[in-house]
């Protein structure tokens, strides 16, 4: 019976409003609103009357969401229907209060939509409409990779995922902080039972086109930034070589972009970096515009020589000093933002003498000793000129190997400090 009465009441309100459309003294003005998922939301409508109307009393208020099977709130006969899921915004509301706004206690995605507020008074009736836009903030995104370890020389895929948001947002990818790389990705949207959405975006990574930093940013439906995550590929490179040299000598480093120097990868240049206490440029290898050439930095001016082409060449640094010790990296550039580390060298430059100067009657020792010097670092405790023009060198390694050499050749006239 109560359900039938409610339906009759709604029909009566609609009929009365249509019958009084020309002579109504009542207007219902509503404001658009945004509701946050899981929070309380306000649907705001105010009854306004003309000056001719006086002592206005509200007889019926009905709130209904378009497409819903039943009203969300019904007031009639001086009371609120106990089945109503909404409440009046003002706790002490009565039929003389023209503020017919209502509260949604725990906003859900299902509450999203357009609402109609129908009001019947003793001076006429009116209707207002308001749109509630339900929003939910997306979670902090998480980036995963396949394979788990991404290196500059490998293929792979990055996946950025976020959930718990509404309405549909967007995931965008940026490389090296500011270059939009979203066009290379594909996003998928899935809905949960509660109506909230799960966003997933996959970004393929290709060999030779790996950037140094990937940023996944989540945007809401209005284009506002909500959260981001960063992925840094593993710094592993194709070559990692330790080189030991002595002050005053030279070192030759090979820089190679691919195994095939005739590949179709387009490059604009290459940097050779030196990392010690700080990072510095050794040189820049220009590919364009104009012919290929190298531009050494001041400290390396007149000390570097290049052989080969951009994709496969060697750089020789001469007149080494202890300050040249450190890590050297060949970093290729396909564009202004990209960085592709291909070769890494650890150079250790010793301040000490490396070669044994010619000793009389010890040609075999002269050839043998320098070869053994490369085994381990050593120090010179004494170096003096001998009368015969040779030099006296004292190191543990030199004494050990040259002593064996001397015994082997039967030469006992060599003077080595002990």
């Amino acid at each position: 019976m109560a359900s039938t009465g409610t339906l009759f009441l709604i029909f009566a309100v609609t009929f009365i409003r249509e019958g009084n459309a020309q002579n109504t003294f009542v207007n219902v003005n509503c404001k658009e609103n945004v509701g946050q998922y899981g929070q309380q939301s306000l649907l705001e409508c105010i009854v306004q009357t003309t000056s001719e109307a006086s002592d206005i009393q509200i007889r019926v208020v009905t709130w209904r969401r378009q497409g819903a099977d039943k009203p969300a709130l019904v007031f009639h006969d001086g009371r609120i229907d106990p089945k109503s899921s909404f409440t009046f915004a003002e706790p002490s509301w009565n039929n003389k209060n023209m503020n017919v706004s209502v509260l949604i206690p725990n906003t859900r995605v299902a509450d999203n939509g357009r609402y109609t507020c129908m009001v019947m008074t003793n001076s006429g009736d009116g209707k207002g409409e308001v749109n509630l836009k339900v929003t939910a903030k997306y979670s902090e995104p998480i980036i995963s990779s396949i394979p788990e370890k991404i290196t500059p020389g490998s293929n792979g895929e990055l996946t950025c995922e976020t959930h718990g948001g509404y309405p549909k947002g967007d995931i965008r990818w940026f490389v090296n902080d500011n270059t939009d790389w979203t066009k290379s990705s594909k996003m998928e949207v899935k809905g949960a039972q509660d109506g909230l959405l799960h966003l997933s975006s996959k970004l393929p990574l290709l060999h030779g086109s790996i950037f140094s930093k990937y940023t996944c940013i989540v945007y809401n439906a209005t284009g506002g930034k909500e959260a981001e995550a960063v992925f840094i590929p593993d710094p592993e490179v194709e070559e990692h070589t330790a080189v030991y040299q002595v002050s005053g000598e030279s070192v030759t480093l090979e820089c190679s972009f691919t195994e095939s120097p005739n590949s179709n990868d387009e490059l604009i240049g290459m940097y050779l970096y030196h990392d010690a206490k700080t990072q510095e440029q050794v040189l820049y290898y220009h590919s364009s515009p104009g012919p290929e050439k190298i531009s050494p930095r001041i400290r390396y001016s007149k000390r570097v020589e290049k052989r080969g082409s951009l994709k496969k060449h060697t750089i020789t640094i001469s007149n080494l000093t202890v300050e040249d010790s450190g890590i050297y990296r060949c970093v290729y550039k396909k564009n202004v933002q990209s960085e592709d580390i291909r070769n890494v060298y650890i150079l250790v430059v010793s301040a000490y003498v490396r070669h044994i100067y010619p000793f009389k009657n010890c040609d075999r020792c002269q050839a043998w000793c320098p070869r053994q010097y490369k085994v381990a670092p050593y120090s010179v405790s004494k170096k003096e000129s001998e009368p015969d023009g040779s030099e006296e060198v004292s190191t543990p390694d030199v004494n050990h190997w040259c002593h064996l050499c001397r015994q082997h050749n039967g030469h006992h006239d060599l003077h080595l400090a002990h």
Side-chain angles (χ1 to χ4, degrees):
M1 294 297 293
S3 176
T4 303
T6 301
L7 292 175
F8 174 78
L9 176 65
I10 296 171
F11 171 79
V13 170
T14 305
F15 176 79
I16 292 171
R17 186 185 186 282
E18 291 176 351
N20 294 342
Q22 301 296 325
N23 301 303
T24 182
F25 297 102
V26 177
N27 291 313
V28 180
N29 295 328
C30 303
K31 293 182 180 180
E32 299 292 306
N33 197 12
V34 175
Q36 184 66 35
Y37 181 87
Q39 303 295 318
Q40 197 175 66
S41 296
L42 174 69
L43 298 179
E44 187 175 1
C45 288
I46 305 294
V47 177
Q48 294 181 335
T49 60
T50 62
S51 58
E52 291 86 353
S54 61
D55 193 24
I56 301 297
Q57 294 185 20
I58 295 176
R59 296 176 178 175
V60 178
V61 177
T62 304
W63 276 93
R64 178 188 290 273
R65 182 175 60 82
Q66 292 182 4
D69 295 333
K70 60 182 180 179
L73 180 144
V74 175
F75 168 82
H76 68 97
D77 292 339
R79 65 184 182 88
I80 298 175
D81 191 312
K83 295 183 180 181
S84 299
S85 56
F86 294 177
T87 61
F88 281 110
E90 296 190 7
S92 58
W93 188 88
N94 58 61
N95 65 348
K96 291 187 177 183
N97 190 333
M98 298 297 106
N99 184 353
V100 291
S101 302
V102 292
L103 291 176
I104 303 176
N106 183 23
T107 307
R108 303 164 300 159
V109 172
D111 295 323
N112 187 78
R114 193 158 190 82
Y115 289 81
T116 300
C117 175
M118 300 180 65
V119 178
M120 188 175 87
T121 74
N122 58 355
S123 296
D125 66 295
K127 181 178 75 171
E129 293 186 347
V130 59
N131 194 42
L132 177 67
K133 297 178 180 179
V134 176
T135 65
K137 187 175 181 179
Y138 285 92
S139 65
E140 293 287 333
I142 297 176
I143 300 178
S144 58
S145 66
I146 300 176
E148 184 177 350
K149 185 177 182 181
I150 299 291
T151 62
S154 64
N155 293 327
E157 184 178 69
L158 298 181
T159 300
C160 180
E161 296 181 276
T162 181
H163 63 273
Y166 189 85
K168 177 185 173 183
D170 192 21
I171 293 178
R172 295 170 65 183
W173 291 93
F174 294 86
V175 295
N176 294 352
D177 292 329
N178 56 6
T179 302
D180 196 327
W181 216 247
T182 310
K183 62 182 182 296
S184 300
S185 66
K186 183 178 181 180
M187 191 178 79
E188 183 179 10
V189 182
K190 293 182 179 179
Q193 290 185 347
D194 57 8
L196 298 178
L197 301 178
H198 176 274
L199 307 182
S200 175
S201 178
K202 297 183 181 297
L203 180 69
L205 305 180
L206 301 178
H207 170 82
S209 300
I210 307 298
F211 294 92
S212 60
K213 179 181 179 182
Y214 292 84
T215 303
C216 156
I217 301 181
V218 179
Y219 293 87
N220 58 34
T222 60
K225 177 180 174 181
E226 290 202 348
E228 68 176 56
V230 174
F231 180 85
I232 305 294
D234 194 278
E236 183 181 33
V237 293
E238 293 183 354
E239 294 186 38
H240 194 152
T241 307
V243 181
Y244 298 89
Q245 295 293 81
V246 175
S247 184
E249 292 193 340
S250 62
V251 65
T252 299
L253 310 176
E254 181 179 87
C255 295
S256 177
F257 182 72
T258 61
E259 294 181 359
S260 172
N262 297 319
S263 64
N264 294 323
D265 294 310
E266 294 296 329
L267 301 171
I268 63 172
M270 186 216 75
Y271 284 100
L272 180 61
Y273 287 106
H274 171 224
D275 291 310
K277 292 182 179 179
T278 60
Q279 177 178 279
E280 64 175 348
Q281 292 180 16
V282 177
L283 58 84
Y284 179 65
Y285 191 143
H286 301 261
S287 146
S288 61
E292 293 186 357
K293 64 176 182 178
I294 61 171
S295 296
R297 301 312 180 231
I298 295 177
R299 199 168 79 81
Y300 298 90
S301 179
K302 299 180 181 181
R303 287 206 296 142
V304 295
E305 180 183 1
K306 182 267 301 181
R307 291 182 182 273
S309 63
L310 175 61
K311 292 185 179 179
K312 189 175 179 64
H313 62 274
T314 60
I315 299 293
T316 299
I317 306 173
S318 59
N319 297 323
L320 292 173
T321 65
V322 174
E323 287 73 20
D324 293 324
S325 297
I327 299 175
Y328 288 79
R329 296 180 293 118
C330 305
V331 181
Y332 281 88
K333 306 282 287 185
K334 284 187 175 182
N335 51 58
V336 176
Q337 290 83 18
S338 70
E339 284 190 356
D340 196 336
I341 304 173
R342 285 299 172 126
N343 309 89
V344 172
Y345 298 91
I346 300 175
L347 175 63
V348 178
V349 181
S350 170
Y352 309 120
V353 175
R354 175 178 181 176
H355 293 292
I356 297 296
Y357 282 78
F359 286 88
K360 273 189 175 183
N361 305 318
C362 193
D363 294 337
R364 184 171 296 180
C365 184
Q366 177 185 341
W368 192 6
C369 288
R371 196 159 57 245
Q372 302 305 329
Y373 279 20
K374 302 177 185 178
V375 175
Y378 54 88
S379 61
V380 175
S381 58
K382 186 176 181 182
K383 182 174 66 176
E384 297 177 355
S385 297
E386 293 294 307
D388 58 6
S390 64
E391 286 193 346
E392 179 184 85
V393 179
S394 176
T395 77
D397 287 338
V398 173
N399 280 328
H400 173 71
W401 291 109
C402 288
H403 177 69
L404 294 177
C405 172
R406 182 176 57 183
Q407 289 182 331
H408 177 77
N409 290 327
H411 297 297
H412 303 284
D413 59 337
L414 295 178
H415 175 67
L416 293 177
H418 295 283

